[in-house]
Structures are given as C-alpha cells and as structure tokens.
Amino acid sequence: MKQTTINKSFSISGIALHSGLDTTVTVKPSGEDTGIVFIRSDIAGSPHIPALTSSVVATSYATTLGVDGVTVATVEHLMAALYGMGVDNAVVMVNGPEIPILDGSAVAFTELIDDVGIRKLDAARKYIVIKKPIKVSEGDKHIYLYPSENMEMSIDYRIDFAHPFLAKQSFSSPFSKDVFRREVVRARTFGFLKDVEMLKANGLARGGGLNNAVVIGDDDILNEEGLRFPDEFVRHKVLDFMGDIALLGHHIIGRFEAYRSGHNMNHRLAVKLLKSQGRFEFSTTGRKKGGSVYVVKPGVPAYVGGAVTA
Ligand SMILES: [Zn+2]
C-alpha cells in the first residue's frame, strides 16, 4: 500500500463550535512522509502545527493541537475524515483558532475528499502493528488495544451514559473506508441540554446550535429532524475516536475495545502506545501469507450492536 495525498485543494467555511468564530479551512496536497500539518494562516509567519499526538495541548470537549502557544482546536472530525478516507499527507490551512463544526459530523469533509480524489505517492505507507496488548483505564472507563489476528484494524466501542434517553449503545466492526463512509461519517456531535449553560458559562459551545449538534433533553432530543441513526451517539464517539487515533500519524493494525472513552482517554492511549517499546512495530508490508497488510472486507455487515436501551 502506497502513501496518499489529495489530488487538489479544497476549502470550506463555517462557524466553529466552541469559539463561535467563522473560519475557513483549505486542505492542500502535500508530499510523502509529511503527514498532516495544520498552518495558522491568520498569524504572522504562518506557524506550522503537526497533527501528531505530541502536539495535543487540550482534550476538554474537543481535541486542541498547539506548538509554542499557537493552537488549533476541534481538529477531530477533519482528522477522522482524512484518516478514514485514507489520506496520509496534507496541509490544512486555517484562518483562525478552530476548525468549523459544519453540521457536527464529518460528512462534508468526506464528500470534499471524494470530490477532489486521492492519489498515490511513491513511498510505502508505514503501519503501526500492535504486537502486545496496551491498556488505559480510569474507573470503569477503558480502552484496550490488542494485536489483530486478521492483520486489520477493528473497533468495538460501547457507551453508557446512565440517561433515560441515552443509555447503552455499541458499535463493533472491522474498519475500512467503506465502513467509515457508510456507518460513521454522518453521525453528529451531541450534548446534554443540562450541560449547555455550563459550557457557555465557560466560554465553550458559543457556536453550538441545533444545526450542528444533537441536543438531548430530559427524555428526548430537541432536534425536530430526529436522529440520523438510532445509535447516532456511539457512532459519533467512534468518529471522535478515529480523529484522535489519527494523531498517531500512522494507520493502526490492531483491535480496539473502548468503553465510555473520550478525547482525554483516547489521547492517553496514544501517548502510552508511543512509549510502549516492544508492544508495536512499524511495518510497510503484510506479514500474513505475503498479502496486503490491510484487510478490507467489502460487503461484510459492519454494524453489530447498538439499540437504544431506555
Ligand atoms: Zn465530535
């Protein structure tokens, strides 16, 4: 499998969820082994912020990257779109401190990547292959990452909010571009009405509204259009998870099991993985029967669990 970039640039503008500012992102092609790099085009000298775990400076309610005090917030949906669509290298120019929230999902980013197309570069893609389990936990919340017998990435994600409307939901699937596009990208950001005042008092969610988030009241959602999937919430958690894991800078061959995780725990897992010498190795080729390292299973029903259990 070769590394990739996009064929040509695309731009999109909109309000940002937490700052409430209008910003524009322009995603441009870039060369092999450059990874994803954010550039704050509104700041003198256009500082560069590599989209890497080592650049993460905050994980409350969104993932924020920063270098030398220059930050870019809420990168996770765009990062998930680039990772899920298989874009290894790109430059992301943004003219403000936060990526636009758009409709709260990653569907617009994904469609734009589809529109411009993806091209292969000469260098081989370097995967992180998990060799021994890596675990992070806090109370009953956890993420376990195991070696994959099938030499693929798979994800099993469960949530339980102990809320009458949103209790247990789960998502379990091998991960591929098809699964990502079909099952994950349309799932929107969500929040509880009871938290909205607290968020706004803390200067967050200034750009939030029913056009870019599912808002959950006492026993129903406030959005008149309803949900896009009965289990849209866990699917969005998977989207966020992908965006955070994308900051490892490499595709992962491993089996993730996440329970009630969030941006902070996702980040902790990535940090622990990178420090876990001997628990993973880099690989550019498959180790199983000499075949492709990335096993995509088209046509396999992706979605296993997930009923809303009130
Ligand atoms: Zn999100």
Side-chain angles (χ1 to χ4, degrees):
M1 187 73 83
K2 298 286 192 189
Q3 290 183 26
T4 62
T5 188
I6 49 175
N7 270 325
K8 56 181 183 177
S9 304
F10 65 82
S11 295
I12 188 163
S13 305
I15 196 167
L17 178 62
H18 291 300
S19 61
L21 296 168
D22 271 307
T23 61
T24 298
V25 286
T26 300
V27 185
K28 300 180 170 182
S30 73
E32 57 197 38
D33 294 322
T34 55
I36 310 297
V37 179
F38 287 85
I39 296 180
R40 280 286 301 270
S41 59
D42 58 317
I43 293 180
S46 300
H48 287 43
I49 306 169
L52 294 172
T53 298
S54 55
S55 303
V56 172
V57 293
T59 53
S60 312
Y61 303 104
T63 296
T64 302
L65 305 178
V67 172
D68 296 334
V70 176
T71 60
V72 56
T74 319
V75 298
E76 58 269 22
H77 303 161
L78 175 56
M79 287 305 298
L82 293 166
Y83 185 97
M85 296 296 283
V87 179
D88 299 304
N89 304 289
V91 169
V92 181
M93 314 280 291
V94 56
N95 66 348
E98 190 175 355
I99 303 299
I101 190 64
L102 307 173
D103 72 343
S105 81
V107 69
F109 294 130
T110 306
E111 287 176 351
L112 286 162
I113 293 168
D114 263 335
D115 286 349
V116 298
I118 293 170
R119 68 182 155 91
K120 288 180 182 168
L121 300 167
D122 287 336
R125 179 182 279 171
K126 219 163 110 184
Y127 295 85
I128 290 178
V129 181
I130 304 303
K131 308 301 289 182
K132 292 178 182 168
I134 296 162
K135 301 179 179 183
V136 289
S137 62
E138 184 184 325
D140 66 342
K141 301 176 182 181
H142 64 247
I143 309 171
Y144 302 152
L145 174 54
Y146 298 105
S148 165
E149 288 175 9
N150 302 323
M151 288 298 280
E152 64 186 3
M153 184 173 119
S154 64
I155 184 161
D156 182 297
Y157 202 112
R158 290 178 295 137
I159 58 175
D160 184 353
F161 281 90
H163 181 278
F165 184 77
L166 174 53
K168 294 182 169 121
Q169 295 190 350
S170 64
F171 181 95
S172 185
S173 174
F175 207 80
S176 69
K177 194 165 160 177
D178 282 350
V179 168
F180 180 68
R181 215 186 326 226
R182 197 175 61 226
E183 313 288 351
V184 177
V185 293
R186 291 174 57 241
R188 291 164 294 174
T189 305
F190 62 92
F192 294 94
L193 183 61
K194 65 181 173 53
D195 295 334
V196 169
E197 286 306 313
M198 179 275 292
L199 286 168
K200 296 208 183 226
N202 285 295
L204 295 165
R206 287 178 181 169
L210 292 171
N211 58 342
N212 56 31
V214 178
V215 179
I216 305 163
D218 288 338
D219 50 15
D220 203 352
I221 58 167
L222 275 60
N223 305 63
E224 285 181 7
E225 75 279 14
L227 292 170
R228 293 178 177 178
F229 304 95
D231 58 349
E232 186 169 357
F233 308 105
V234 71
R235 291 172 191 248
H236 188 79
K237 295 296 280 185
V238 170
L239 181 73
D240 282 344
F241 184 76
M242 298 311 310
D244 290 338
I245 291 306
L247 297 171
L248 286 162
H250 298 277
H251 286 251
I252 311 297
I253 307 292
R255 181 165 62 83
F256 290 98
E257 287 182 16
Y259 179 63
R260 300 185 63 219
S261 180
H263 293 303
N264 184 262
M265 186 166 282
N266 301 344
H267 175 58
R268 280 180 50 211
L269 177 84
V271 169
K272 188 166 180 181
L273 191 163
L274 293 172
K275 284 184 184 166
S276 300
Q277 293 279 341
R279 292 188 176 266
F280 71 93
E281 64 184 23
F282 289 105
S283 175
T284 53
T285 55
R287 289 162 54 85
K288 210 174 184 186
K289 297 175 188 169
S292 163
V293 73
Y294 195 51
V295 180
V296 178
K297 294 179 177 171
V300 174
Y303 166 59
V304 177
V308 175
T309 50

